[in-house]
Amino acid sequence: MKFTRRKAIIGGIVGGGLLGVGFWFARERDRLGSRKLLNIKPGEVGVNGWVKITRDNAVIVAVPRAEMGQGVQTALAMLVAEELNARWDQVRVEDPPEDAVYRNVDILIDGLPFSPEEAGTMVDMAHWMAGKLGGVLGVLATGGSTSVRDAWLPMRTAGAVARDLLLRAASRKAATPVTDLVAVDGEIRRRDGTRVATFGDLVDSVEDLAIRPPPALKQPSEFKLIGRPLPRVDVPAKVTGTAVFGVDVRLPGMLYAAVRNAPTFGGSAIAFKLRQAALPKGIEKVVIVPGGIAAVGASWWRAEKFLDEGIDIQWQAGPEPALDSPTLWKRYEQLLETGAPALTRTLGSAKAPTGGQVLEATYRAPYLAHAPMEPMNCTALARKTAAGAPGIDIWMPNQSPTLMRLAAAKTADVAQAEVVVHTTFLGGGFGRRAEVDLVRQAVTCALAVPDRPVQVLWSREEDIRHDMYRPMALARWRANIDIAGPVPQLAGVAKRQVAQSPTDQFPARTVGLPAQGQPEGNAVENPPYAFPSYRLEAIVADGSVPVGFWRSVGHSHTAFFDESFVDEIAVALKKDPLAFRRELLAGKPRHLKVLETAAREAGWGMPLPAGSGRGIALRASFGSIVAQVAEVAVADGKTLQVKRVICAVDCGPVVNPAIVKAQMESGIVYGLSAALYGEITLAGGAVEQGNFPDYDAVRLADAPEMAVHLVDSGATFIGGVGEPGTPPIAPAVANAVFAATGKRLRTLPLRLA
Amino acid sequence: MISFTLNGQLRQVDAEPDKPLLWTLREDLNVVGPKFGCGVAVCGACTVHVDGTPVRSCSMATGDVAGKSVVTIEGLSQGQLHAVQRAWIENQVPQCGYCQPGFIMAAAALLKANPKPTDRDIDDALSNICRCGTYGAIRRAVHRAAAILGGAS
């Protein structure tokens, strides 16, 4: 069945013919790219598609991933600098033009709905096809915690090839055999240590040298930069206020546009009427855009006011204009009882256990908005190319220039080659900025005012009410406990889970592919525990509420369901939650080490004041294993404070430990905001929340003290770090609340009263 | 015409008096360091100093700053980086960075009023929102900035 589904996806994408065709790269060196690929300015020379050297001795690394805070510019530049033997303080980064060599293959592979430990021909085939697809389509994207894994070999190879070229250039210049030369700290030296040339001295000497097959890459023991907490390349601009985000783009003659989106999902604006005879001063145009209406003018603030006060809009309602949350929960409860699973998976004993003591628990997670600090925006310009053909420029904080270009080209009905996407810094992404809704609206506005750039910006209210939400989800866990013997034993577990599928919706709304009716892969990953038997039934709900990729995607709710219930089983068996997990992880040394590190560093078992408790949770996601221990204090039985969070992570080889730690803290705080406050509810087909006062986030005053411990298990697989810190925090806190109060909270957000 | 001092220079701007200072800065004066985050004076991304006091510029009318002195992140450093900015770099605070100008302005104002703040003082004064969760680093950096201002190297 699964195999057929893979074929259907690939057939759908290729058959749709929507994306530009690139080519397949068989080997890493095929991703080197041409030295002509980069924008070469005077005083610079391109060494390959990833590296430029400047006459003033800077090394400029092409980083084709979106910097949204995760430190990707720094981490990827370190890969090149390492093999090149550059000095860190001579390294700068640049966004390269879009090209297939910069595609992200791992993001596609991670999108497949397998649990990562599954192996076999079918899974291998699916991975191979996704890789093939990545090569064919050249998807340039940032997400899925995949950037370092994808870049690990190609970018190091690019650095090694550049080093080889510089060594040969120096050899020729100094008439010294290349075998007598070494690259050290941004210079070429003789083996006796005397300098032959800085990298910058060789700018005029490398251009005519042929690229040779790459030399061997370094062994990890030879790394000088990788593994060190080097300073981030983006920090100085971000503390002086000079970093350019999407909203900071300023272009000659630029106009601003404010938007009102249709109140109900899937709705649209069909007509409007001005309240006065003419447009007020400063408003140039009213444009009906996909999903809403825009006012275009000289001031965004003025355009906002005009949409509030100067215009009556006639809306076409979406398909479910009366939808509300209680009705939706009832629908999900019905599906939980009687819905046909889209995916059923059994592990361990084939025969599901019956009888004994039955432990059952039902868990709920709400819709969540992403709410990145930078509200949604996109700047577009409709212009003529030099040859007179219509073209589009896009300036945008986005997670996938490939998709943005495609959406812009479709909206404007121009060739993809005539669309240029300029990616700015992202003021947060979290999955929201892989969506194409803003680019469609901005291009529609731009077409209405040709040759003038238009910056479309949503208010925070539009952002919260018109997101692609983390799906709401419902799960029922069941455990059968054998009580025939002297000591109760766990006989088996089973779970039914209901949620919409972002991996179904996303391709449908971005490129028009038919939905496959399958659950999102992360939502159905198996817990790592050696249960005697395990059965999963995943039911896919349909519905008009748009759902998308929210930091850690399905792990964000499934980890809460799974890790809460493991705690409940431990309690039922009268076992310590840590000891019970250790038993079930006996065959998983990496998981065990992470779990034990977190427990030890948190002082698991040490006494706490009355009203306080510790909870533990473990989740493997995106190739990394993370365990967290939360320590909470509950006052008056109702006020919950998370005092401390201890986190242990095994993400395989670490490029920059400071960034890994920062990402864990980041994931914890993002997940904690959701666990304590995050809830999007519906009434009358629309979202009830609108801004931070009713969709709150953790602030300094409620941010816990955090400590992150990196666990080195010697694993060579490169795990992600942008997302894996998020899933364990909600269950760790819920389990701590139980330890503190004896009250089991099975609904997110966690509310005591 | 509304006149006020912006980062040490007298500026005149032809803006409606009720236009929020944030949008006058961003749209009319091309000063884009202060950021739009919520528009309702909650998240603090738009924080600037008006006569030395931290304010949420999204909710202050431009007319109300006439004759006053406005300092934004662009004007915080005088020749060399402000101690808060130095501490922010040392502690590698920013992630996405979008909220940081607001935090830095709020921290600079706090340290001027209270050179040795406790954690509690910091929590109370910096009610800004950071969705990347840089709070731990922010606390460390504020204490470090206090030490720098107190003469530590």
Side-chain angles (χ1 to χ4, degrees):
Chain A
M1 280 307 285
K2 282 175 185 163
F3 187 66
T4 312
R5 177 173 174 262
R6 295 295 89 61
K7 279 201 291 198
I9 292 175
I10 289 160
I13 295 179
V14 176
L18 292 163
L19 296 168
V21 174
F23 49 90
W24 166 241
F25 307 90
R27 295 157 301 186
E28 293 308 337
R29 72 179 192 225
D30 297 333
R31 281 181 70 181
L32 262 185
S34 158
R35 57 213 295 174
K36 307 272 181 263
L37 206 51
L38 301 174
N39 176 21
I40 309 291
K41 300 183 197 97
E44 298 177 348
V45 64
V47 182
N48 53 51
W50 301 83
V51 187
K52 288 192 296 186
I53 308 288
T54 74
R55 195 163 281 133
D56 59 1
N57 204 27
V59 171
I60 299 176
V61 177
V63 176
R65 297 288 172 265
E67 180 58 69
M68 46 192 162
Q70 81 283 40
V72 71
Q73 290 187 338
T74 305
L76 297 196
M78 283 173 71
L79 301 180
V80 170
E82 176 67 64
E83 298 288 346
L84 185 54
N85 286 339
R87 276 196 340 267
W88 184 239
D89 63 6
Q90 75 183 138
V91 173
R92 302 207 306 259
V93 298
E94 225 175 70
D95 190 32
E98 203 192 344
D99 188 272
V101 298
Y102 304 124
R103 85 212 188 285
N104 187 341
V105 170
D106 275 276
I107 200 169
L108 284 165
I109 292 175
D110 266 15
L112 302 174
F114 297 106
S115 210
E117 76 280 7
E118 285 184 75
T121 312
M122 198 175 62
V123 179
D124 290 346
M125 275 301 280
H127 282 192
W128 177 83
M129 281 202 282
K132 180 102 180 150
L133 201 59
V136 171
L137 303 177
V139 172
L140 185 53
T142 311
S145 299
T146 52
S147 295
V148 169
R149 196 188 318 153
D150 178 72
W152 180 249
L153 289 175
M155 290 189 77
R156 286 174 58 208
T157 300
V161 166
R163 184 186 69 215
D164 177 64
L165 214 59
L166 290 168
L167 281 167
R168 285 189 287 133
S171 162
R172 186 169 60 180
K173 193 171 178 174
T176 307
V178 75
T179 47
D180 290 348
L181 299 175
V182 285
V184 183
D185 287 345
E187 299 178 356
I188 305 298
R189 296 180 190 161
R190 291 188 187 81
R191 293 203 177 267
D192 63 12
T194 53
R195 181 206 286 179
V196 173
T198 67
F199 289 177
D201 295 336
L202 299 167
V203 160
D204 301 316
S205 318
V206 297
E207 190 121 41
D208 58 329
L209 286 170
I211 304 284
R212 298 192 308 184
L217 299 180
K218 290 182 185 178
Q219 292 300 309
S221 61
E222 300 171 277
F223 288 159
K224 289 194 169 73
L225 302 179
I226 292 175
R228 287 176 52 200
L230 298 176
R232 293 172 61 130
V233 295
D234 55 340
V235 158
K238 288 176 177 177
V239 303
T240 52
T242 52
V244 175
F245 296 88
V247 291
D248 301 330
V249 169
R250 292 291 179 270
L251 299 162
M254 192 176 86
L255 296 166
Y256 298 90
V259 171
R260 288 293 171 272
N261 290 290
T264 58
F265 297 121
S268 55
I270 41 180
F272 62 90
K273 205 175 148 199
L274 302 182
R275 289 185 190 164
Q276 291 178 345
L279 287 169
K281 179 172 165 273
I283 303 296
E284 296 205 7
K285 228 163 203 156
V286 177
V287 185
I288 290 182
V289 296
I293 195 163
V296 181
S299 158
W300 183 80
W301 170 74
R302 178 57 66 194
E304 273 284 307
K305 253 180 104 139
F306 166 72
L307 288 173
D308 279 342
E309 299 165 2
I311 186 169
D312 292 301
I313 304 159
Q314 192 186 340
W315 300 106
Q316 171 74 52
E320 295 183 284
L323 193 63
D324 60 45
S325 289
T327 306
L328 206 50
W329 280 116
K330 283 200 192 81
R331 200 186 289 173
Y332 276 38
E333 283 156 12
Q334 189 65 40
L335 284 170
L336 189 68
E337 298 300 334
T338 60
L343 176 122
T344 301
R345 195 188 287 147
T346 53
L347 297 171
S349 159
K351 195 167 171 294
T354 51
Q357 182 194 335
V358 177
L359 179 68
E360 231 179 43
T362 303
Y363 300 93
R364 288 158 199 269
Y367 287 116
L368 293 173
H370 298 79
M373 286 310 300
E374 180 185 13
M376 303 310 296
N377 66 89
C378 177
T379 304
L381 167 66
R383 39 109 183 124
K384 290 268 186 283
T385 62
I392 300 286
D393 271 281
I394 301 291
W395 294 261
M396 190 183 188
N398 76 88
Q399 289 178 246
S400 180
T402 305
L403 282 177
M404 300 312 144
R405 183 169 72 167
L406 176 70
K410 296 277 286 183
T411 304
D413 194 21
V414 301
Q416 283 195 59
E418 305 301 348
V419 176
V420 181
V421 179
H422 313 263
T423 300
T424 63
F425 276 122
L426 282 68
F430 313 122
R432 178 63 177 90
R433 291 198 147 98
E435 304 287 348
V436 300
D437 48 344
L438 267 289
V439 84
R440 286 180 179 144
Q441 292 189 344
V443 169
T444 304
C445 288
L447 292 168
V449 285
D451 298 317
R452 296 194 70 181
V454 187
Q455 184 165 96
V456 171
L457 170 64
W458 284 10
S459 66
R460 178 59 66 192
E461 288 77 8
E462 293 300 320
D463 170 52
I464 300 281
R465 292 177 183 146
H466 300 282
D467 200 350
M468 283 66 175
Y469 302 90
R470 195 285 303 273
M472 104 179 199
L474 178 65
R476 179 173 301 152
W477 266 109
R478 192 188 70 227
N480 288 78
I481 296 170
D482 183 352
I483 49 174
V487 181
Q489 299 283 342
L490 178 64
V493 295
K495 178 174 66 167
R496 275 172 70 85
Q497 186 168 306
V498 181
Q500 289 165 282
S501 172
T503 39
D504 252 19
Q505 281 199 3
F506 182 82
R509 67 171 168 260
T510 53
V511 291
L513 293 179
Q516 306 287 320
Q518 286 292 307
E520 186 269 315
N522 297 290
V524 293
E525 283 194 17
N526 303 328
Y529 305 111
F531 297 120
S533 81
Y534 164 83
R535 182 180 174 85
L536 167 73
E537 294 176 351
I539 296 141
V540 177
D542 56 13
S544 64
V545 181
V547 293
F549 304 115
W550 187 95
R551 197 175 193 170
S552 82
V553 204
H555 290 287
S556 65
H557 52 72
T558 299
F560 173 68
F561 305 155
D562 296 3
E563 285 298 296
S564 295
F565 192 64
V566 168
D567 242 54
E568 296 208 48
I569 302 172
V571 171
L573 296 173
K574 300 191 167 48
K575 290 183 177 178
D576 172 71
L578 170 65
F580 180 57
R581 284 180 174 81
R582 288 173 61 176
E583 279 174 34
L584 292 173
L585 291 171
K588 297 260 173 83
R590 283 184 72 193
H591 295 73
L592 204 52
K593 195 171 175 187
V594 171
L595 183 79
E596 291 181 338
T597 302
R600 184 182 65 242
E601 298 295 337
W604 187 265
M606 303 290 279
L608 283 172
S612 296
R614 288 191 193 90
I616 193 163
L618 172 85
R619 186 75 182 179
S621 63
F622 308 96
S624 295
I625 304 165
V626 178
Q628 288 162 10
V629 174
E631 188 184 310
V632 307
V634 177
D636 310 327
K638 54 179 187 231
T639 314
L640 166 62
Q641 196 188 6
V642 182
K643 309 280 273 189
R644 281 209 307 163
V645 177
I646 305 299
C647 174
V649 52
D650 176 356
C651 58
V654 170
V655 175
N656 186 318
I659 291 176
V660 174
K661 289 180 179 181
Q663 280 307 294
M664 290 301 120
E665 292 195 4
S666 177
I668 290 166
V669 173
Y670 197 74
L672 191 59
S673 286
L676 298 179
Y677 311 120
E679 185 176 30
I680 290 291
T681 55
L682 310 172
V687 166
E688 294 187 283
Q689 293 72 26
N691 205 325
F692 292 119
D694 54 15
Y695 189 76
D696 207 353
V698 162
R699 323 275 176 108
L700 258 172
D702 48 1
E705 180 192 328
M706 291 176 277
V708 179
H709 302 273
L710 307 185
V711 175
D712 179 8
S713 63
T716 54
F717 183 84
I718 299 164
V721 297
E723 295 166 278
T726 298
I729 188 63
V733 171
N735 293 340
V737 168
F738 179 80
T741 65
K743 195 165 175 185
R744 180 62 66 181
L745 300 180
R746 299 191 182 93
T747 297
L748 290 173
L750 304 171
R751 287 186 184 125
L752 276 159
Chain B
M1 281 287 182
I2 299 166
S3 311
F4 59 94
T5 304
L6 175 61
N7 295 329
Q9 288 192 318
L10 189 64
R11 300 292 293 265
Q12 286 204 325
V13 62
D14 184 13
E16 296 104 312
D18 63 336
K19 184 170 185 172
L21 175 61
L22 173 67
W23 295 108
T24 299
L25 291 171
R26 294 186 58 85
E27 293 181 348
D28 302 310
L29 294 165
N30 200 26
V31 170
V32 295
K35 300 293 191 249
F36 168 58
C38 69
V40 292
V42 168
C43 78
C46 63
T47 303
V48 301
H49 298 171
V50 175
D51 284 349
T53 304
V55 302
R56 310 284 216 238
S57 65
C58 73
S59 300
M60 174 170 259
T62 305
D64 289 346
V65 300
K68 294 185 175 167
S69 169
V70 175
V71 176
T72 70
I73 186 77
E74 287 90 345
L76 185 65
S77 50
Q78 305 279 336
Q80 59 168 1
L81 289 179
H82 188 279
V84 171
Q85 290 169 310
R86 283 169 55 197
W88 244 245
I89 291 173
E90 279 181 36
N91 285 277
Q92 294 281 295
V93 174
Q95 291 189 21
C96 92
Y98 191 81
C99 69
Q100 299 298 337
F103 268 105
I104 289 169
M105 296 309 285
L110 165 68
L111 291 171
K112 205 166 181 189
N114 178 355
K116 286 257 172 248
T118 63
D119 278 346
R120 181 71 198 272
D121 296 335
I122 297 170
D123 289 354
D124 290 346
L126 275 60
S127 59
N128 303 29
I129 296 176
C130 167
R131 291 287 280 160
C132 298
T134 60
Y135 298 121
I138 286 173
R139 265 200 204 114
R140 292 191 288 277
V142 174
H143 287 302
R144 173 64 187 146
I148 294 172
L149 289 167
S153 59

